[in-house]
Amino acid sequence: MSRAQSALLWGLVGALAFLVLAQGYRLLVGPLGLGVPIAAGLALCVGGVVTAVSYVAERRLEPKGRT
């Protein structure tokens, strides 16, 4: 698997994890104060950040045999 594919998959995992946490908060605690479009936009931002960080981090960790 290429680095780009791996980073995109980690970004997807990060975005979905954010949405799961937001939904869990709504179910267990109460209203989050965010609408669905805002939560989806935040999930895209989280996914983008996770994608970028994982792409950079994989290059740094690869020579050390940690990937």
Side-chain angles (χ1 to χ4, degrees):
M1 179 179 299
S2 71
R3 273 181 53 214
Q5 287 177 331
S6 176
L8 286 172
L9 287 174
W10 278 114
L12 179 63
V13 167
L16 291 176
F18 174 81
L19 290 173
V20 166
L21 288 173
Q23 186 65 26
Y25 185 89
R26 285 181 181 159
L27 288 172
L28 297 176
V29 178
L32 187 58
L34 300 174
V36 174
I38 294 173
L42 283 173
L44 286 175
C45 290
V46 167
V49 168
V50 170
T51 299
V53 168
S54 65
Y55 188 79
V56 171
E58 187 172 351
R59 176 170 280 218
R60 291 185 55 132
L61 296 175
E62 189 174 31
K64 298 176 184 177
R66 297 182 184 170
T67 58

